[in-house]
C-alpha cells in the first residue's frame, strides 16, 4: 500500500548555507533536514543570531499522495533518515531525465545544490554590469537560472529577471536572481529512489528569504516551496506536512499549540524561565514563542508527539504510521479526541484534526494549560520535548504539474512572559498574513 523514497547508497557531504539577514539565523542543507547540524546533532535555528539560543532544533518536509489505485506514495525524513531502511531521504540536485545521477558532470554541478544571494549584490550588479572592468559577483553568476539541458536537467530552474525574454539566464547582460527580501537561500532536491515504485518522483525547490524592516519581520524567516511532479503518475489527495522539532532553548520544558484560523502551529515554554540544560543555552526570563504558519493554503491538521513517548503517541516509525500522521490521526489510525491528551474519542471528546487549539493565556478552550475544554483553567500538562506536525492538502498533483506553498517561521518575544508571547505571536502572525496578502506573496 505504501512506498517512499530512498537514497542511492552514497553519502551527501555538502557545504551548508545560512539564512542570516535579520535577527534569526538558520542553517540550510540539501539533505532534507533543515535548521539543524546533523553531523554535530545540534539545533540550527538561532534567534537572536549568534546568541547560541535556539527555538527550532530541526524541521523536515513530508510529502504524500495516492495514485490511481489508491496506493499511497510518500517521501519523508526524520533525524537524517532514521525511519528504517525502506524510508529514505531527499537527494541533492534537480531531476535528471537520463537518470545518470552518478556522472561526474552532474555531481560537479548539482551535488552542492544550495545557492545564497544578497539583495545588495543584486542592486550593485544592476547599477554596474555595463561598466568596464566590472566583475559579476559569484553568487549572481552561479545562480541556477537555467539547468544543464545537455545532461537532461530542465531548462528553467531558479527564478530570474529575464530582461530580453529569451528564457536564458544571462547575468553579463544585466539579468539577476529574482528574490524577495534582502537575502535568499535557494535549494533544489529530488526524491528519486532505487526502490521500485518508491517515492513520488518529485523535484522540490526551496526559497528561504528574510526581511529586516521592523521588529516582526526581523524575527521572521519565510519559505517558498515549489513541488514539481516529474513522475509518470498522477496523484490525488496530495499532502505536504511540516515536521518540526521546536526547542525553546532547553528542550524538556516546552508546550505545543495550534491555531486553525491562522493556519499555524507553535511552541512556547512551559514556565516563564527557560534554564540551561543538556549543553543548551536557555533563554532565561521571557522565553519566546515560535510559530510555523502556512500563508497560502489552509492547514488541514495539526498534531504533536513527545520525544520518547509510547506508541501510538510518538514519532512515526513506519510508512503506515507516517501516512496516518499526515492525515491528522494517531499512528495506529485512531482519531484524535478533543480534550485531555487527545487519546479518547467519546460523547465528551469528539474527533478533531487539531490538537490544543485553545488559548493558553486566557485558559479558554483546549490547551496544554487546560486539558479539559471548558472556559476556565483546568488541569495542565507536564512540559516536555515536543514535536509538531502541520499538514496542508493540495488536492491533485498530476504529471508535470507544480504546486507552490508559502510559509513563515515567526518568533515573538514582545509579550513579556511565556504565555503572553503566544498572544504576541498570534498578533505577529496576523500582521505577516495581512502583509503577504497585500503584496501577493511579496
Amino acid at each position: 500500500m505504501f512506498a517512499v523514497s530512498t537514497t542511492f547508497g552514497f553519502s551527501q557531504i555538502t557545504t551548508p548555507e545560512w539564512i542570516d539577514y535579520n535577527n534569526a539565523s538558520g542553517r540550510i542543507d540539501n539533505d532534507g533536514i533543515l535548521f539543524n547540524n546533523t553531523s554535530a546533532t545540534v539545533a540550527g535555528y538561532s534567534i537572536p543570531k549568534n546568541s547560541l539560543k535556539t527555538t527550532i532544533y530541526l524541521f523536515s518536509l513530508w510529502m504524500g499522495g495516492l495514485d490511481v489505485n489508491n496506493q499511497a506514495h510518500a517521501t519523508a525524513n526524520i533525524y537524517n533518515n532514521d525511519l528504517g531502511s525502506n524510508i529514505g531521504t531527499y537527494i541533492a540536485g534537480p531531476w535528471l531525465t537520463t537518470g545518470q545521477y552518478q556522472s561526474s558532470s552532474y555531481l560537479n554541478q548539482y551535488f552542492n545544490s544550495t545557492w545564497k544571494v544578497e539583495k545588495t549584490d543584486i542592486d550593485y550588479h544592476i547599477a554596474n554590469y555595463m561598466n568596464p572592468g566590472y566583475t559579476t559577483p559569484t553568487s549572481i553568476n552561479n545562480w541556477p537560472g537555467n539547468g544543464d539541458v545537455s545532461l537532461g536537467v530542465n531548462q528553467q530552474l531558479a527564478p530570474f529577471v529575464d530582461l530580453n525574454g529569451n528564457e536564458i539566464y544571462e547575468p553579463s547582460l544585466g539579468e539577476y536572481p529574482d528574490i524577495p527580501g534582502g537575502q535568499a537561500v535557494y535549494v533544489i532536491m529530488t526524491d528519486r529512489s532505487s526502490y521500485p515504485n518508491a517515492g513520488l518522483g518529485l523535484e522540490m525547490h526551496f526559497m528561504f528569504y528574510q526581511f529586516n524592516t521592523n521588529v516582526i519581520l526581523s524575527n521572521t524567516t519565510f519559505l517558498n516551496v515549489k513541488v514539481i511532479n516529474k513522475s509518470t503518475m498522477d496523484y490525488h489527495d496530495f499532502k505536504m506536512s511540516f515536521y518540526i522539532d521546536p526547542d525553546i532553548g532547553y528542550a524538556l520544558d516546552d508546550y505545543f499549540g495550534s491555531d486553525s484560523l491562522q493556519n499555524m502551529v507553535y511552541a512556547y515554554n512551559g514556565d516563564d524561565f527557560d534554564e540551561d540544560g543538556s549543553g543548551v543555552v536557555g533563554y532565561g526570563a521571557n522565553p519566546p514563542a515560535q510559530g510555523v504558519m502556512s500563508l497560502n493554503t489552509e492547514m488541514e491538521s495539526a498534531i504533536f508527539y513527545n520525544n520518547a513517548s509510547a506508541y501510538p503517541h510518538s514519532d512515526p516509525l513506519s510508512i503506515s504510521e507516517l501516512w496516518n500522521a499526515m492525515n491528522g490521526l494517531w499512528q495506529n489510525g485512531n482519531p484524535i479526541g478533543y480534550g485531555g491528551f487527545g487519546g479518547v474519542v467519546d460523547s465528551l471528546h469528539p474527533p478533531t484534526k487539531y490538537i490544543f487549539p485553545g488559548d493558553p493565556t486566557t485558559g479558554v478552550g483546549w490547551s496544554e494549560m487546560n486539558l479539559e475544554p471548558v472556559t476556565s483553567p483546568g488541569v495542565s500538562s507536564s512540559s516536555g520535548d515536543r514535536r509538531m506536525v502541520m499538514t496542508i492538502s493540495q488536492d491533485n498533483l498530476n504529471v508535470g504539474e507544480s504546486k507552490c506553498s508559502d510559509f513563515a517561521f515567526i518568533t515573538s518575544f514582545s509579550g513579556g512572559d511565556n504565555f503572553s508571547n503566544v498572544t504576541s505571536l498570534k498578533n505577529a502572525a496576523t500582521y505577516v498574513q495581512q502583509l503577504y496578502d497585500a503584496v501577493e506573496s511579496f
Side-chain angles (χ1 to χ4, degrees):
M1 170 96 186
F2 298 93
V4 296
S5 70
T6 187
T7 65
F8 277 71
F10 60 87
S11 298
Q12 290 181 275
I13 303 175
T14 60
T15 303
E17 292 287 1
W18 293 83
I19 187 78
D20 56 2
Y21 180 71
N22 59 21
N23 196 36
S25 175
R27 176 179 166 127
I28 312 299
D29 290 276
N30 57 11
D31 61 357
I33 297 293
L34 297 151
F35 293 171
N36 184 266
N37 184 343
T38 55
S39 61
T41 61
V42 297
Y45 192 75
S46 179
I47 183 166
K49 63 183 177 184
N50 303 321
S51 68
L52 301 180
K53 299 176 181 179
T54 60
T55 57
I56 299 176
Y57 180 76
L58 63 74
F59 87 89
S60 62
L61 207 58
W62 302 346
M63 299 188 191
L66 302 176
D67 64 21
V68 66
N69 297 314
N70 287 324
Q71 179 186 25
H73 298 252
T75 296
N77 201 343
I78 302 178
Y79 298 99
N80 204 25
N81 193 34
D82 67 355
L83 288 180
S85 61
N86 289 326
I87 297 182
T89 185
Y90 294 91
I91 308 298
W95 190 268
L96 187 58
T97 58
T98 63
Q100 301 299 311
Y101 292 103
Q102 296 291 345
S103 70
S104 59
S105 297
Y106 179 84
L107 293 175
N108 287 339
Q109 291 192 60
Y110 299 114
F111 197 61
N112 286 292
S113 57
T114 309
W115 298 267
K116 181 177 180 178
V117 66
E118 305 277 348
K119 183 64 163 57
T120 53
D121 286 343
I122 293 174
D123 291 341
Y124 183 80
H125 177 69
I126 293 171
N128 294 281
Y129 78 94
M130 295 185 66
N131 293 339
Y134 170 75
T135 300
T136 303
T138 301
S139 62
I140 295 177
N141 207 44
N142 290 345
W143 185 253
N146 295 128
D148 190 339
V149 295
S150 68
L151 296 176
V153 176
N154 195 54
Q155 182 181 7
Q156 301 300 311
L157 289 179
F160 63 93
V161 174
D162 188 7
L163 296 175
N164 57 18
N166 66 356
E167 299 186 347
I168 299 175
Y169 181 53
E170 300 165 305
S172 63
L173 301 182
E175 297 179 347
Y176 52 90
D178 187 7
I179 67 166
Q183 180 192 86
V185 176
Y186 203 81
V187 187
I188 302 176
M189 293 179 278
T190 59
D191 73 337
R192 60 190 186 272
S193 174
S194 59
Y195 287 95
N197 302 316
L200 290 93
L202 305 178
E203 181 174 289
M204 293 155 285
H205 296 222
F206 294 67
M207 172 97 75
F208 293 87
Y209 58 100
Q210 291 178 337
F211 298 88
N212 194 13
T213 52
N214 58 42
V215 171
I216 292 176
L217 293 182
S218 293
N219 290 327
T220 300
T221 299
F222 293 92
L223 171 61
N224 173 266
V225 179
K226 181 180 180 181
V227 180
I228 310 165
N229 185 355
K230 292 286 189 174
S231 78
T232 58
M233 290 186 288
D234 294 334
Y235 298 108
H236 64 277
D237 200 21
F238 177 73
K239 299 179 188 298
M240 183 184 298
S241 298
F242 264 86
Y243 174 88
I244 311 110
D245 183 349
D247 290 345
I248 310 299
Y250 179 55
L252 301 182
D253 61 351
D254 295 340
Y255 279 153
F256 164 81
S258 68
D259 189 331
S260 61
L261 296 179
Q262 293 192 295
N263 302 304
M264 181 171 67
V265 293
Y266 58 89
Y268 57 105
N269 220 60
D271 56 41
D272 197 35
F273 189 90
D274 182 49
E275 53 274 300
D276 299 343
S278 303
V280 174
V281 177
Y283 278 94
N286 189 37
Q290 175 66 55
V292 182
M293 180 183 187
S294 174
L295 294 168
N296 67 339
T297 308
E298 289 188 1
M299 183 171 66
E300 183 180 85
S301 64
I303 62 177
F304 89 107
Y305 308 112
N306 283 316
N307 184 10
S309 285
Y311 177 88
H313 305 123
S314 55
D315 291 326
L317 296 176
S318 69
I319 299 179
S320 61
E321 292 177 6
L322 176 73
W323 186 247
N324 285 335
M326 295 181 73
N327 283 273
L329 304 170
W330 295 120
Q331 286 94 320
N332 58 7
N334 288 345
I336 296 160
Y338 188 96
F341 291 99
V344 176
V345 176
D346 56 25
S347 59
L348 297 178
H349 305 91
T352 180
K353 294 285 189 178
Y354 306 98
I355 296 182
F356 299 138
D359 190 334
T361 304
T362 63
V364 175
W366 180 35
S367 73
E368 293 225 54
M369 291 302 296
N370 182 18
L371 294 183
E372 290 302 322
V374 293
T375 57
S376 60
V379 179
S380 63
S381 176
S382 297
S383 58
D385 188 4
R386 305 291 191 251
R387 286 90 156 88
M388 310 187 294
V389 179
M390 174 181 70
T391 299
I392 62 173
S393 179
Q394 297 185 319
D395 300 323
N396 300 327
L397 184 65
N398 296 324
V399 174
E401 187 178 7
S402 63
K403 299 285 188 182
C404 282
S405 304
D406 289 298
F407 304 91
F409 298 83
I410 308 172
T411 314
S412 180
F413 302 82
S414 61
D417 61 58
N418 59 319
F419 298 131
S420 297
N421 282 335
V422 173
T423 301
S424 65
L425 173 69
K426 293 185 177 185
N427 292 337
T430 298
Y431 170 83
V432 169
Q433 185 69 64
Q434 290 173 344
L435 181 62
Y436 176 88
D437 293 342
V439 298
E440 297 182 352
S441 73
F442 304 115

